[in-house]
Amino acid sequence: MGRWKNGILITYLVAIVFPFIFLFLLSMSSGWRFPDLLPEYFGFKNWGKVAGTESGIAQSFLISLVISLSVAVSSTLCGFVISRYVSYHPKKRLLTLLTYFPYILAPVVFGACLSYYFLKMGIFGTTFGVVLAQFIIAFPYALIFFSSFWNEKIKSYEDLVATLGGGSLTTFRKVLLPMARGLLMVCFFQTFLISWFEYGLTSIIGVGKVQTLTIKVFLFIKESNFYYGAMSCCMLIIPPVVMIYINKKYVFNKLI
Amino acid sequence: MFLEVHDIEKSYNKEAIVSELNINLEKHKTLSILGRSGCGKTTMLKMIAGLTPIDQGVIKLDGVRVDEIEASKRNIVYLYQEDLLFPHLSVFENIAFGLRIKKIKDHIVDDRVIEMIENLELQGHGSKMPHQISGGQRQRVAFGRAIITNPALLLLDEPFGSLDAGTRKNMQTLFLRLAKTFNITSLFVTHDLKEAILMGDEIAYMDKGKLKIYKDRSSFINDPETGVLAETEFWKQLKTEQF
Amino acid sequence: MVPFAAAFGYSLLYSFGIIGVVNDGFTLEFWAEVFRSGAFLDALIYSVTIALISVFISVTAALWFTLKFQKKLRGKIVSFMIYLPLAIPGIVAAFFTVQILSKSGLFSRFSYLLGFTSGITDFPDLINDQYAIGIILVLISVVMPFFVLLFLNVYDNERLDQLTELARSLGASNSQTIWRVSLPVILRKTWTLIALYFIFLLGAYEVPLILGQESPQMLSVLIVRELKQFDLTKISEGYVVAVMYTILVSIATILLFSKRSTENG
């Protein structure tokens, strides 16, 4: 292996790590004027204000967390139960194809076209509205995700439980859910991330009233408040990094 | 008769899978059914278990019609060729499963599972997980899990199909013993000629959705369709060639 | 699916002027206007070009990277590090790129201090630029790490190391092994996903929103801008673009998955 190849590998790895370090350093800075390489101030001043009303970052973190957890729980559970129905349906292929449409469309366009209905339902600009909107895109993902789980073997397990005297509730609680535990976890974290990273749809349905972290980042860019922006970025990155550390499968999953 | 099946018909897309199916079986007896793959035997068993709806016909168990009762209430257990142990439960809990969902008291469950584990010759494996035991052991657990619920009827679909010859022989002996100990009534489907003769109190042959039950062993052996004659002829031939 | 149909139906009606505050009845005027102005076509060509370039570079680089370094990427720390890019959402990548590549960004400062440029204005436009360099860079940086992981995954699942050994023992040279075994195996397994990513990038929103320029714009940005306009007559035109985009993506989906299922079946 030539030395230049090692160089490229190292460059790649540095390029991966650099944004993390840079964003963290930027979040500790202020007064970083052109053309200085170093900022005037460096320390924990910004982070001291993370919970304050001026930045509102901690608050956004909580809102994002509540929204993403709600979306992840609801879409994973609904996806699991309903994908069973879809997979055993005689028109399985058509139904699966239909689930791809909302999944493949840009969420922001989808949201823009749906906003009329949200307005009519009176949930425009509410946290619930944002949860519902994100559910609409995370749910098809969960449906597709679980479609591979339901096969002949699982059907046999279901039949077996039936002949042993178990009803469908028992089957779900004692057999299907425990057997799918690993998959449920992966789907939970994947849908969590879909919601956690979502910007366009949230900005349209939330109309600036529901300030998730991604919305915050955008606002700080517009205000040219890069130090707070970097701080929001750090808060956005931390949960997925922790997830990668716990289990890489939670973050990387090749669908289909 | 304990199990009575009258004129069951089943077809998919107008193609008959099972036709004119009639079975009469006494209590505590095993009917072994010989059939090649695709002869309709799995469909037949699934219909009796209530997992596949029947087009027409009547199934009676101990004089009671069961064909309109759902699978979970028929008290008929269907056993697959694959052992289908629950991967998230230990050997002990797999066997206990049927009792647990009937909400039987813990200490009774414990006693009966321990007894069953002894009968299955699986002492010392109770706390293991399914992936830690061998194929033959797994199949035994699957048996125990089915038998412990005291099913009125046991349906076995090629239960030893995936086992190697040696294990298969042990399992046949074990099953015969269990059938006696627990007074089991069962239908035993196999594609193995010898197994069909060994396991059944009565023998039947299934081909293209039609089931033919023989009144005794010799009429089964003497029917050219079953292939017993061809088999004996083969061995005879081989013997004469050698000398 | 119901929301999808609802959204599509509403947009369709709006685009024909059947509903909408200032609209009065069926008209083809908005459709005609969109085609006359060429706004849709411009945005489409712009989006397709950007998505195509980004996917192409990402896939090529990721393939090269996987095949060259697949052994080195297995170390404990390295294998953790190559997952890290997945923790960075598009909006953070865009934010970071602004900090690095803008006229007052980090690179501009370096080049000033090293004497390459003499001030802010000297530094070339790398973001909000005419050639969408910023957008493409960010899209690549988001997509390529994913493909590296994907290809590594396929490499393992398809037992490519054994296949390449086999090919060698049959007398194939290094490059023959790559071109005739490794690449076809990997691409056969992943082309649907690659196509899917192309469609995703076609609808990219926050990255071009932050790093793009006034005109032309990528499809999502254009649609949202038109729909949120104060000029109410423009809204119908926005829906025209939305409808066309939806139809386009739907057709692509159907083609993609009907082809795939015939291959599998």
Side-chain angles (χ1 to χ4, degrees):
Chain A
M1 175 112 13
R3 189 176 287 172
W4 62 276
K5 274 190 196 162
N6 271 331
I8 289 176
L9 182 62
I10 289 166
T11 311
Y12 182 66
L13 295 178
V14 168
I16 288 175
V17 180
F18 179 62
F20 292 89
I21 298 170
F22 178 82
L23 287 172
F24 182 65
L25 294 181
L26 186 63
S27 75
M28 310 245 298
S29 318
S30 66
W32 190 47
R33 288 187 194 88
F34 190 86
D36 302 337
L37 273 186
L38 296 175
E40 272 172 12
Y41 172 84
F42 187 78
F44 285 99
K45 189 177 81 184
N46 298 336
W47 283 94
K49 290 188 194 148
V50 74
T53 45
E54 185 202 339
S55 76
I57 293 174
Q59 208 189 350
S60 286
F61 184 84
L62 280 179
I63 293 172
S64 291
L65 206 60
V66 169
I67 291 176
S68 298
L69 286 177
S70 318
V71 170
V73 169
S74 56
S75 55
T76 302
L77 289 181
C78 293
F80 185 69
V81 175
I82 294 175
S83 74
R84 174 176 179 273
Y85 175 79
V86 171
S87 299
Y88 294 157
H89 197 278
K91 290 222 166 69
K92 179 189 169 186
R93 266 188 55 190
L94 179 71
L95 287 173
T96 313
L97 185 65
L98 291 179
T99 33
Y100 274 102
F101 288 131
Y103 172 65
I104 216 163
L105 203 63
V108 63
V109 176
F110 199 20
C113 297
L114 271 176
S115 54
Y116 167 78
Y117 298 99
F118 280 78
L119 199 63
K120 280 279 157 198
M121 287 195 287
I123 50 174
F124 208 50
T126 64
T127 308
F128 176 74
V130 172
V131 170
L132 186 67
Q134 293 189 352
F135 173 82
I136 290 172
I137 56 163
F139 171 64
Y141 175 90
L143 267 187
I144 298 166
F145 181 91
F146 284 118
S147 63
S148 61
F149 175 74
W150 306 101
N151 51 28
E152 273 304 305
K153 188 152 184 187
I154 295 295
K155 183 88 185 81
S156 302
Y157 269 109
E158 288 183 42
D159 286 350
L160 175 79
V161 177
T163 64
L164 287 173
S168 56
L169 202 69
T170 318
T171 315
F172 257 102
R173 261 196 28 236
K174 299 241 163 148
V175 179
L176 296 177
L177 285 177
M179 279 178 70
R181 230 188 93 191
L183 283 179
L184 284 165
M185 290 287 275
V186 174
C187 185
F188 173 84
F189 285 111
Q190 293 273 312
T191 45
F192 178 89
L193 278 189
I194 290 177
S195 161
W196 189 254
F197 286 171
E198 174 51 48
Y199 169 74
L201 186 61
T202 316
S203 72
I204 296 236
I205 302 295
V207 277
K209 285 183 197 151
V210 184
Q211 297 204 337
T212 60
L213 274 176
T214 50
I215 303 280
K216 272 282 182 208
V217 173
F218 191 73
L219 284 178
F220 287 132
I221 294 176
K222 269 175 121 180
E223 289 172 12
S224 298
N225 190 343
F226 299 129
Y227 318 111
Y228 282 1
M231 205 151 58
S232 320
C233 285
C234 290
M235 299 289 268
L236 255 175
I237 294 171
I238 292 168
V241 170
V242 173
M243 276 154 60
I244 295 174
Y245 185 75
I246 299 172
N247 188 343
K248 290 167 190 164
K249 276 199 195 129
Y250 292 160
V251 179
F252 171 72
N253 190 276
K254 49 177 187 124
L255 204 58
I256 60 172
Chain B
M1 283 293 162
F2 183 67
L3 170 71
E4 295 170 61
V5 175
H6 293 301
D7 290 324
I8 286 193
E9 305 273 341
K10 179 74 186 177
S11 45
Y12 282 115
N13 303 325
K14 291 181 183 158
E15 192 189 336
I17 306 292
V18 171
S19 55
E20 296 163 42
L21 179 69
N22 283 289
I23 301 173
N24 288 299
L25 187 64
E26 279 177 59
K27 214 167 186 171
H28 310 325
K29 296 282 184 201
T30 295
L31 170 67
S32 63
I33 298 163
L34 179 72
R36 317 220 173 325
S37 58
C39 71
K41 50 193 183 173
T42 298
T43 309
M44 171 184 74
L45 292 186
K46 285 197 167 179
M47 285 193 295
I48 297 173
L51 299 170
T52 301
I54 56 176
D55 291 348
Q56 62 176 64
V58 174
I59 303 169
K60 280 187 185 172
L61 202 58
D62 213 3
V64 182
R65 261 191 88 162
V66 295
D67 47 273
E68 275 161 0
I69 302 177
E70 58 182 292
S72 59
K73 302 210 168 89
R74 281 192 198 190
N75 202 19
I76 298 176
V77 172
Y78 174 76
L79 268 179
Y80 293 78
Q81 176 174 346
E82 281 177 279
D83 49 66
L84 293 183
L85 297 188
F86 302 119
H88 60 290
L89 298 178
S90 65
V91 166
F92 188 97
E93 283 304 319
N94 260 290
I95 297 175
F97 186 84
L99 302 178
R100 296 247 190 256
I101 57 181
K102 290 200 173 84
K103 306 226 160 56
I104 289 169
K105 286 206 176 69
D106 279 357
H107 67 274
I108 301 175
V109 174
D110 288 354
D111 291 348
R112 287 182 57 187
V113 173
I114 288 168
E115 191 196 329
M116 180 56 75
I117 286 181
E118 275 169 28
N119 268 307
L120 297 168
E121 296 160 19
L122 285 171
Q123 293 97 323
H125 296 292
S127 57
K128 287 187 182 165
M129 295 308 275
H131 64 90
Q132 293 170 310
I133 56 177
S134 73
Q137 290 171 328
R138 290 169 63 102
Q139 196 55 265
R140 270 187 263 170
V141 175
F143 263 49
R145 181 176 61 185
I147 295 168
I148 204 168
T149 58
N150 261 330
L153 178 66
L154 198 58
L155 305 173
L156 303 118
D157 193 353
E158 299 265 8
F160 310 138
S162 55
L163 302 177
D164 61 81
T167 320
R168 192 168 183 140
K169 221 172 152 204
N170 289 337
M171 289 296 292
Q172 288 166 350
T173 326
L174 181 86
F175 176 76
L176 286 173
R177 188 164 56 72
L178 288 175
K180 218 169 162 194
T181 321
F182 292 94
N183 290 324
I184 292 167
T185 316
S186 64
L187 300 185
F188 191 113
V189 164
T190 177
H191 66 266
D192 186 286
L193 202 57
K194 225 167 98 190
E195 194 167 79
I197 295 171
L198 273 174
M199 305 307 288
D201 300 303
E202 288 179 54
I203 311 180
Y205 177 72
M206 193 168 194
D207 188 31
K208 293 181 192 124
K210 300 226 175 186
L211 187 80
K212 192 163 158 192
I213 302 182
Y214 297 89
K215 60 179 193 296
D216 52 32
R217 192 176 281 180
S218 66
S219 56
F220 174 78
I221 292 169
N222 291 321
D223 185 344
E225 258 194 285
T226 62
V228 182
L229 289 176
E231 184 92 353
T232 35
E233 192 56 35
F234 172 80
W235 293 109
K236 259 188 209 155
Q237 194 94 38
L238 207 66
K239 216 169 173 187
T240 46
E241 270 172 29
Q242 269 185 345
F243 292 107
Chain C
M1 192 58 206
V2 175
F4 176 77
F8 185 71
Y10 181 78
S11 315
L12 201 62
L13 292 178
Y14 214 121
S15 73
F16 284 119
I18 297 168
I19 45 177
V21 198
V22 293
N23 291 334
D24 35 32
F26 179 82
T27 170
L28 288 173
E29 170 197 339
F30 304 117
W31 282 78
E33 176 55 32
V34 168
F35 280 105
R36 208 177 314 129
S37 72
F40 173 72
L41 205 63
D42 285 349
L44 181 66
I45 293 171
Y46 188 66
S47 303
V48 168
T49 315
I50 289 178
L52 216 55
I53 294 175
S54 308
V55 168
F56 180 77
I57 296 178
S58 301
V59 170
T60 316
L63 273 175
W64 183 82
F65 211 78
T66 311
L67 293 178
K68 281 280 182 249
F69 297 112
Q70 55 89 14
K71 283 197 187 72
K72 298 212 160 203
L73 295 176
R74 320 246 160 197
K76 202 161 184 242
I77 297 170
V78 174
S79 71
F80 172 70
M81 280 171 71
I82 55 174
Y83 277 85
L84 281 178
L86 298 188
I88 298 188
I91 193 152
V92 172
F95 174 83
F96 171 74
T97 310
V98 170
Q99 302 309 317
I100 296 293
L101 296 184
S102 71
K103 281 181 181 288
S104 61
L106 192 66
F107 284 3
S108 173
R109 294 170 199 228
F110 274 123
S111 94
Y112 176 79
L113 291 176
L114 294 172
F116 296 140
T117 47
S118 60
I120 287 188
T121 46
D122 249 14
F123 195 72
D125 286 324
L126 293 177
I127 59 168
N128 310 108
D129 60 309
Q130 200 181 342
Y131 302 107
I133 296 171
I135 300 177
I136 292 174
L137 275 178
V138 171
L139 293 183
I140 291 173
S141 73
V142 170
V143 174
M144 186 202 145
F146 173 84
F147 279 128
V148 170
L149 294 171
L150 177 71
F151 295 152
L152 271 177
N153 194 294
V154 173
Y155 196 97
D156 291 346
N157 286 345
E158 301 299 308
R159 300 165 177 280
L160 257 183
D161 44 348
Q162 289 172 24
L163 285 181
T164 46
E165 268 174 33
L166 178 80
R168 292 264 172 74
S169 70
L170 291 173
S173 70
N174 251 347
S175 66
Q176 276 173 325
T177 318
I178 288 176
W179 285 102
R180 284 165 188 266
V181 181
S182 308
L183 284 183
V185 169
I186 292 181
L187 288 177
R188 257 185 78 92
K189 276 280 156 190
T190 54
W191 73 267
T192 343
L193 212 55
I194 294 173
L196 208 58
Y197 262 77
F198 169 73
I199 298 176
F200 284 154
L201 292 191
L202 213 57
Y205 178 64
E206 51 262 54
V207 174
L209 183 68
I210 293 169
L211 299 175
Q213 52 172 3
E214 272 297 300
S215 160
Q217 285 177 323
M218 283 186 78
L219 281 166
S220 296
V221 183
L222 176 76
I223 292 169
V224 172
R225 192 190 63 179
E226 300 229 311
L227 292 186
K228 287 180 108 178
Q229 265 186 3
F230 291 107
D231 178 2
L232 292 173
T233 53
K234 280 274 178 199
I235 292 180
S236 287
E237 287 172 30
Y239 280 114
V240 172
V241 182
V243 165
M244 283 197 282
Y245 163 75
T246 309
I247 292 173
L248 208 74
V249 169
S250 304
I251 291 173
T253 314
I254 292 170
L255 286 179
L256 201 58
F257 289 101
S258 56
K259 186 125 189 283
R260 198 171 80 105
S261 46
T262 50
E263 269 178 11
N264 291 353

